Amino acid sequence: MAGPFGRWRSLLSSRAVASQVFALQVAVVVLLIVATVVALVLQSRTDGEREARQRAVAVAETFARTPGMVGALSGSAPSTDLQPRAEELRAASGVDYVVVMTPDGRRLTHPEPQRIGRPFVGTIAPAAAGGTVTETVTGTLGRAVQHVVPVTDASGRVIGLVSAGVTIERISGVVEEQLPVLFGASAAALGLATAGTALVSRRLRHQTHGLGPAEMSRMYEHHDAVLHAVREGVLIVDGEHRLLLANDEARRLLGLPPDAEGRHARDLGIEPGVARLLESGQPVTDRVHAAGERQLAVSVRLTGGDGGPPGAVATLRDTTELQLVSGRADVAQGRLKLLYDAGVEVGTTLDVVRTSEELARLAVPRFADFVTVDLPDAVLRGEEPAGSGPVRHMRRVAYAGIRDDTPLHPPGTLIRFVPDTPQARGFGTGRAVLEADMTAFHGWQQQEPARARRLVEYGIHSMIVAPLRARGVIMGVATFWRADEPEPFDDGDVSLAEELVARAAVSIDNARRYTREHAMAVTLQRSLLPRSLPEHTALDIAHRYLPAQAGRGGVGGDWFDVIPLPGSRVALVVGDVVGHGVRAAATMGRLRTAVHNFSTLDLAPDELLWHMDELVARIDQEESGDGDAGPADGAGGATAITGATCLYAVYDPVSGVCTMARAGHVGPAVVYPDGRAVFPGVPAGPPLGLGGLPFETAEIRLPEGSSLVLYTDGLLEDRDLDRDIDEGMELLGRTLARAGRTPEETCRTVMDALLPERPRDDIALVVARTRRLTADRTTAWDVPPEPEAVGRVRAQAGRTLEAWGLAEEAFTAELIIGELVTNAIRHATAPIRVRLIRDRSLVCEVGDGSSTAPHLRLATETDEGGRGLFLVSQLAERWGTRYTGGGKVVWAELSLRPRPR
């Protein structure tokens, strides 16, 4: 048989042993080379896949942590921002694709732009949950090895995914390029087989530095000594979480048994948190866990990341002392923060009760479990506590706690503290009192023994009583109680309580002083407002007045008035003076008096407001020229009143006409009998004191049963709810439309709907429901301008009064009408008209076309006339003159009350 196999058989059959040995060696070498080539090809392919996998991992991880990645994913056009960067990285790194996608797998980048927006091919669920995925898939570019990693924001939330991959085609190309090298290397290996052994031996000797077995043993002993001498505990576990090695420090910190090596981590009897870290397979850094009384900082690093054996190395550091020092620093920082917050959050208003509540809420639970504040009633009224002593009656004004079911007295309770109680001692001495162990009952229980036992049974075991002292005045006590916190109060807590209460006491004292000023202003304000409304038949009136809350602006200058006018008419007035405090209240009184005086002249609303405007301007000039005036403030400092507003309305029950004018004030509302609520367009004049512009009058005819609603802007505005005047008027209109029919019900409904929770401005509200005088209660007739008409008028008046059942008043009324008509015929011009009105009094009116007013004078014995008005003034209860658009009306009123004989 010819061929190679024949030649090998001939060679092996040679009798020369050396030849057979050589042939055998050649065969063995050839087989080794072939096996080596095959193994190298397979290894090359494996290495190529591993390199592709590692490259995909590195590229994906690097691109996911690239600065700006989170911002680009959170932007409005992530694909536009990330596509160029992904393609640049793909070209530079040698991978086949870099894909950025949303957490649900929608592509944001791709080497083929038309595939952007389509679903990603591969597994993404672990990466979307915060892990990573490495797999071989068949995607849009072919079969490839890819790695998917998450992109997280600062809070750890996954906002996107990044995938990098290398195709199998690229890996195969790399292997094929390596085949010539492998075959060449195999041929060279055949010639270098003999020299290889010597080179390997020489290289091994070089790497070990010529150390022999003895030297290697000494090196191992040295490393072992170092491992057990370090101050950090070291634990090494394998891939199955079994302990391979533990140094002496680790055994001491964890209390490991002597036979711990080889046990599973959960069977070592160590703290469960540390065991879970060893089993988690996740790297951690300085994770603090308790181990008995120690605080251990645990760090874990994995050993299988670079091809090494699977497992983990954990280091342990004892941080107990560091935690103790850090805890003390945290406590100090917390106390400083508490004092800082006290300066910001306590005393936000000038209200004693609210300031006390702010102190109580601030200290719970940051300093105490429960806090109570007790003040004498004098402090609540704005006064100073009368004297000092161990026994005090104090009212509980504030309570705050982690629970509300305590046996402590609730707010509002008046408590009489006996001398031996910490509260009485603290109030009497002005020094804080510490009751560290209440369960010992060292005297504090004498206040109420039964309640004291319930407090201890409830769990309250320690308290601090700190007096509220400011400017040398002790205003009450604040008591801090502990229940859930096991540690009792100590001297350091007493210092903190004193500092905390000292800051709050200044705010409470300021609120107390302001309360006193507010009470004075309220007293003055109410003394200047009408205490009762006059009786009349034209209107059914209800009203409300509410001063601004103390600490929210104080008493202002809002006011109202109801003024009877001749002819059964009634004037309604509502106004507002800028500013707050005593001065605003005093100015309001001056303006109200001025309106009363001007109303006696029976002026038209626009003319009355003109006179008021002149008066306010003169007052402002006087105030601005007062060199001793103090600064403008709400507590009585000098301030101009320019900007005061006023609305003046006159209602005539005979005609049903309401005449109104306003100076910078909000317009009135009218509720008709059918329930419609409207805001009539009363022309808005400038506020009082500005001058220069006239005031306009509006006339509205009101059916009987209509309601005229006057108010100030404090009812409409609510700064706490950001409600302006327009919104307030809209709400007022809706409320009036569904309000009750009586004025009192209307007032109640409006206040319930619009009253701010804590008013910053005064509120004045007047609701007047109209009445009409029926036709049988009034009569009128024209009088010709001739002397003979006087007798006929007197006779007609007498018959009318007899028909009304007023025969007893007829003579007096005829005499008055005769005198007034005679004066009109002699001294005035036509038309002359007489009107009688029967109301609470009998009103006699004589109108004419002249604007000249009659004057009362004392006639001498030689005068033939001049006695008519004197008789009228003597017979009538009162009389006067008012001007109309066409002349004037002279009127006189006769009382209908029974007169003594």
Side-chain angles (χ1 to χ4, degrees):
M1 182 177 178
F5 293 99
R7 289 192 296 267
W8 279 105
R9 185 179 298 108
S10 175
L11 182 61
L12 291 176
S13 63
S14 174
R15 294 183 179 181
V17 176
S19 300
Q20 292 179 357
V21 172
F22 174 77
L24 181 61
Q25 290 179 347
V26 171
V28 171
V29 171
V30 171
L31 290 176
L32 290 176
I33 291 176
V34 171
T36 302
V37 170
V38 173
L40 288 175
V41 171
L42 296 178
Q43 183 66 33
S44 178
R45 181 178 296 276
T46 302
D47 291 342
E49 291 183 1
R50 181 184 295 111
E51 181 182 358
R53 187 182 302 270
Q54 292 175 352
R55 183 176 301 176
V57 170
V59 172
E61 295 282 352
T62 302
F63 195 51
R65 291 170 174 77
T66 301
M69 174 63 70
V70 174
L73 287 173
S74 302
S76 59
S79 295
T80 304
D81 294 339
L82 296 175
Q83 175 69 6
R85 296 163 58 183
E87 287 302 294
E88 181 180 355
L89 177 62
R90 181 181 67 82
S93 61
V95 297
D96 288 287
Y97 59 88
V98 176
V99 176
V100 182
M101 69 199 85
T102 61
D104 59 355
R106 183 175 54 86
R107 295 190 185 108
L108 300 176
T109 67
H110 196 274
E112 298 177 6
Q114 65 272 17
R115 299 186 181 275
I116 294 177
R118 298 183 180 179
F120 178 75
V121 178
T123 303
I124 63 171
T132 61
V133 179
T134 304
E135 60 180 347
T136 301
V137 297
T138 301
T140 57
L141 300 179
R143 188 168 179 79
V145 177
Q146 64 181 16
H147 184 71
V148 184
V149 298
V151 180
T152 59
D153 57 13
S155 62
R157 183 173 59 89
V158 176
I159 63 174
L161 305 175
V162 175
S163 175
V166 179
T167 61
I168 300 299
E169 181 181 356
R170 178 186 292 270
I171 298 173
S172 301
V174 172
V175 173
E176 292 174 358
E177 292 176 359
Q178 294 177 349
L179 288 178
V181 178
L182 293 177
F183 288 124
S186 300
L190 186 59
L192 299 176
T194 305
T197 303
L199 292 176
V200 171
S201 300
R202 183 179 179 184
R203 182 65 177 171
L204 180 61
R205 182 174 306 219
H206 174 73
Q207 290 181 349
T208 59
H209 302 284
L211 296 176
E215 288 82 0
M216 292 294 291
S217 297
R218 286 196 299 270
M219 180 178 293
Y220 170 78
E221 293 172 356
H222 174 72
H223 290 170
D224 185 68
V226 171
L227 179 65
H228 291 284
V230 294
R231 292 295 304 273
E232 288 190 356
V234 179
L235 297 174
I236 301 178
V237 295
D238 59 14
E240 297 180 356
H241 313 306
R242 297 183 179 277
L243 182 65
L244 298 178
L245 175 66
N247 67 350
D248 294 341
E249 184 67 9
R251 293 178 180 274
R252 184 184 69 86
L253 295 176
L254 298 177
L256 296 177
D259 57 345
E261 282 81 357
R263 292 187 181 183
H264 197 277
R266 73 172 68 94
D267 299 330
L268 295 175
I270 60 178
E271 198 273 334
V274 178
R276 284 194 296 270
L277 289 180
L278 296 176
E279 296 176 352
S280 65
Q282 298 292 331
V284 297
T285 301
D286 290 339
R287 184 78 58 83
V288 178
H289 285 271
E293 297 180 354
R294 296 187 178 92
Q295 297 291 328
L296 302 181
V298 183
S299 298
V300 178
R301 294 294 180 268
L302 305 181
T303 60
D306 297 328
V313 177
T315 59
L316 313 172
R317 288 185 294 109
D318 189 353
T319 61
T320 305
E321 295 182 359
L322 180 61
Q323 289 289 332
L324 180 60
V325 174
S326 177
R328 292 175 179 174
D330 291 342
V331 171
Q333 185 178 5
R335 292 187 172 185
L336 291 175
K337 183 64 167 57
L338 179 64
L339 294 177
Y340 171 78
D341 291 342
V344 175
E345 299 178 14
V346 178
T348 59
T349 63
L350 291 173
D351 184 88
V352 174
V353 175
R354 186 173 180 85
T355 303
S356 302
E357 292 172 347
E358 290 172 346
L359 169 62
R361 287 196 299 267
L362 176 72
V364 175
R366 299 164 65 179
F367 178 63
D369 295 324
F370 305 96
V371 178
T372 57
V373 180
D374 306 309
L375 304 176
D377 286 341
V379 175
L380 299 177
R381 296 191 300 266
E383 306 168 3
E384 292 186 1
S388 62
V391 180
R392 301 298 305 174
H393 289 81
M394 286 184 280
R395 189 173 301 277
R396 181 144 297 170
V397 298
Y399 165 85
I402 57 178
R403 292 183 296 274
D404 295 330
D405 58 346
T406 65
L408 295 170
H409 287 290
T413 306
L414 183 63
I415 307 173
R416 179 184 180 275
F417 290 103
V418 300
D420 290 338
T421 59
Q423 287 80 4
R425 284 186 284 135
F427 188 91
T429 62
R431 293 188 296 271
V433 178
L434 170 64
E435 192 72 35
D437 185 8
M438 296 173 58
T439 60
F441 296 104
H442 291 307
W444 68 273
Q445 76 281 0
Q446 295 182 9
Q447 176 71 33
E448 293 179 83
R451 187 181 298 272
R453 287 192 298 272
R454 292 201 303 271
L455 286 174
V456 173
E457 293 171 358
Y458 185 81
I460 297 177
H461 59 83
S462 183
M463 72 172 166
I464 296 176
V465 177
L468 293 160
R469 182 171 187 169
R471 302 181 182 93
V473 178
I474 301 177
M475 295 170 292
V477 294
T479 307
F480 304 90
W481 316 77
R482 274 190 179 172
D484 288 8
E485 175 64 37
E487 294 295 328
F489 287 117
D490 55 21
D491 293 337
D493 295 322
V494 172
S495 300
L496 177 60
E498 289 178 332
E499 182 67 22
L500 181 64
V501 169
R503 300 192 180 196
V506 175
S507 299
I508 292 177
D509 187 55
N510 290 336
R512 177 188 65 82
R513 291 167 177 259
Y514 184 84
T515 300
R516 180 181 58 190
E517 299 294 333
H518 182 265
M520 293 173 56
V522 169
T523 302
L524 177 61
Q525 177 87 327
R526 294 195 179 277
S527 68
L528 296 175
L529 288 172
R531 298 186 180 181
S532 61
L533 299 181
E535 296 182 359
H536 49 78
T537 58
L539 297 171
D540 182 12
I541 297 177
H543 66 279
R544 294 288 189 276
Y545 172 76
L546 183 66
Q549 194 174 61
R552 305 278 285 183
V555 175
D558 291 16
W559 57 283
F560 68 94
D561 212 341
V562 179
I563 306 172
L565 297 178
S568 298
R569 295 170 302 133
V570 178
L572 300 174
V573 192
V574 64
D576 187 1
V577 177
V578 296
H580 296 273
V582 176
R583 190 174 191 85
T587 303
M588 177 274 294
R590 299 172 69 179
L591 297 185
R592 178 171 178 256
T593 302
V595 171
H596 263 277
N597 294 333
F598 289 139
S599 67
T600 60
L601 301 177
D602 213 348
L603 301 174
D606 57 341
E607 188 176 354
L608 183 141
L609 291 182
W610 181 82
H611 285 288
M612 291 292 295
D613 182 71
E614 291 289 320
L615 174 64
V616 172
R618 288 197 301 271
I619 293 176
D620 281 343
Q621 291 176 359
E622 294 173 1
E623 296 292 348
S624 62
D626 187 0
D628 296 334
D633 56 27
T639 179
I641 62 173
T642 299
T645 64
C646 182
L647 171 64
Y648 187 80
V650 177
Y651 174 69
D652 187 351
V654 177
S655 63
V657 174
C658 182
T659 306
M660 294 179 284
R662 62 188 178 112
H665 202 81
V666 290
V670 175
V671 182
Y672 288 99
D674 59 2
R676 290 182 300 113
V678 299
F679 294 91
V682 180
L688 299 177
L690 297 182
L693 294 175
F695 299 98
E696 299 183 49
T697 301
E699 289 188 354
I700 304 174
R701 188 171 298 276
L702 300 177
E704 185 173 7
S706 302
S707 293
L708 182 64
V709 183
L710 309 182
Y711 49 89
T712 56
D713 57 0
L715 179 67
L716 303 178
E717 293 181 305
D718 190 347
R719 299 178 187 175
D720 295 335
L721 299 178
D722 293 330
R723 188 178 71 199
D724 57 18
I725 290 182
D726 293 336
E727 295 174 343
M729 293 186 69
E730 182 179 353
L731 177 59
L732 176 62
R734 295 195 304 267
T735 304
L736 290 174
R738 65 174 186 269
R741 297 297 296 170
T742 68
E744 186 64 30
E745 291 173 347
T746 302
C747 279
R748 187 182 308 113
T749 303
V750 170
M751 295 298 284
D752 291 343
L754 278 84
L755 179 65
E757 181 179 356
R758 305 183 64 215
R760 294 176 179 266
D761 195 5
D762 289 9
I763 296 174
L765 173 65
V766 178
V767 178
R769 187 172 63 180
T770 61
R771 299 193 185 102
R772 294 288 297 273
L773 292 180
T774 58
D776 61 343
R777 299 173 65 89
T778 179
T779 184
W781 55 88
D782 295 327
V783 180
E786 55 188 26
E788 294 81 4
V790 175
R792 295 194 299 269
V793 170
R794 292 183 59 176
Q796 191 170 4
R799 290 191 297 270
T800 301
L801 293 177
E802 288 181 0
W804 284 351
L806 301 177
E808 188 175 346
E809 287 82 6
F811 175 77
T812 304
E814 292 177 19
L815 183 58
I816 291 174
I817 291 175
E819 292 297 332
L820 294 180
V821 171
T822 300
N823 284 343
I825 294 174
R826 287 182 178 180
H827 305 292
T829 60
I832 301 174
R833 185 173 179 81
V834 175
R835 185 172 71 165
L836 295 179
I837 300 174
R838 178 169 60 92
D839 195 8
R840 294 178 179 272
S841 60
L842 178 63
V843 182
C844 305
E845 296 182 349
V846 177
D848 56 56
S850 173
S851 59
T852 303
H855 294 282
L856 179 65
R857 66 185 181 89
L858 184 62
T860 63
E861 294 180 357
T862 59
D863 291 337
E864 295 183 0
R867 297 177 177 84
L869 287 181
F870 179 77
L871 290 175
V872 171
S873 66
Q874 295 299 311
L875 297 175
E877 186 152 327
R878 59 176 183 155
W879 72 280
T881 303
R882 73 173 182 270
Y883 293 94
T884 64
K888 68 178 183 296
V889 173
V890 182
W891 55 270
E893 288 187 5
L894 292 176
S895 175
L896 298 181
R897 295 190 300 270
R899 296 184 178 181
R901 293 184 180 274

